[in-house]
Amino acid sequence: MKLTSVILVSLPIFVISACANTYDKSEFSHKTETYAEEKSSDSLCIADEIPVVSCEIDEPQSRVVSICGSADSQSAIYRFGKEDKVELSKHFSSREPLKRTLVYSAYTTYFHFKNDGYRYIIGVPEEAYGVKAFIDIVSPNGSTNTKECTTNSFAEKKLVSPAIIDLEESKADLP
């Protein structure tokens, strides 16, 4: 029993020293940047923007919905489409902010706004296995088109910005 304890305590020290000898700081940074570039295919945010919400829609066209905060967090933008063809974009600022509502009973954060008579509601469930983000598009006549994402959105949904205002559930315009 004592020998097992010594081996278990010594093993992490060996692994750490082996990693320290294998990777230098610049190599680690390069690998991190490469990973970030690989992940950008599921986002329409540009390099200096902060992904707030981003996910690929579960459809044959593989379009993406993204909400991105500016590098200084003073503005935000909604984009829908593909990298080579953004079909809809909408800018938000402190004068015309994006609304965010946390609905505790649904364990979901909703981002919502209106554009040309349509209401857009992006739902981001709390991070849990198997849950998926979604977007509801409500037409002026009240019909709803729901699009589910292939995964949940694991971005900065709690970003503090004057372009994103928090509304209580009772004041939110949610269906």
Side-chain angles (χ1 to χ4, degrees):
M1 203 63 145
K2 235 179 186 174
L3 181 57
T4 304
S5 292
V6 172
I7 292 172
L8 288 175
V9 171
S10 297
L11 184 60
I13 294 168
F14 172 74
V15 171
I16 290 168
S17 66
C19 289
N21 291 335
T22 305
Y23 299 105
D24 67 0
K25 207 178 214 179
S26 62
E27 187 175 349
F28 180 74
S29 297
H30 174 70
K31 288 185 181 299
T32 303
E33 289 168 12
T34 302
Y35 177 74
E37 287 171 12
E38 289 171 3
K39 293 296 286 178
S40 67
S41 65
D42 289 346
S43 175
L44 296 177
C45 299
I46 58 175
D48 64 341
E49 292 177 331
I50 304 161
V52 177
V53 174
S54 200
C55 66
E56 183 180 327
I57 302 296
D58 191 7
E59 62 179 7
Q61 302 97 312
S62 300
R63 293 178 292 183
V64 174
V65 59
S66 294
I67 297 173
C68 314
S70 61
D72 63 2
S73 298
Q74 295 301 303
S75 64
I77 187 167
Y78 165 87
R79 292 186 184 104
F80 179 81
K82 293 183 161 198
E83 280 186 41
D84 60 345
K85 184 181 178 195
V86 174
E87 297 173 33
L88 177 64
S89 66
K90 180 161 175 73
H91 290 269
F92 301 98
S93 66
S94 59
R95 289 185 179 172
E96 188 179 352
L98 173 66
K99 296 170 182 84
R100 174 175 48 204
T101 303
L102 175 58
V103 178
Y104 292 100
S105 61
Y107 300 103
T108 302
T109 300
Y110 294 94
F111 294 87
H112 43 108
F113 64 94
K114 292 180 182 177
N115 189 51
D116 292 334
Y118 287 82
R119 290 187 311 153
Y120 295 82
I121 303 151
I122 299 99
V124 182
E126 291 300 311
E127 288 86 14
Y129 180 75
V131 297
K132 297 178 181 180
F134 60 90
I135 179 169
D136 285 341
I137 303 167
V138 183
S139 71
N141 70 11
S143 64
T144 301
N145 181 3
T146 299
K147 297 179 180 293
E148 190 174 73
C149 295
T150 56
T151 62
N152 202 358
S153 174
F154 299 102
E156 296 295 323
K157 68 182 178 188
K158 297 178 182 177
L159 180 72
V160 176
S161 168
I164 303 173
I165 61 167
D166 293 306
L167 292 179
E168 294 177 20
E169 184 177 354
S170 62
K171 296 180 182 176
D173 187 20
L174 298 172

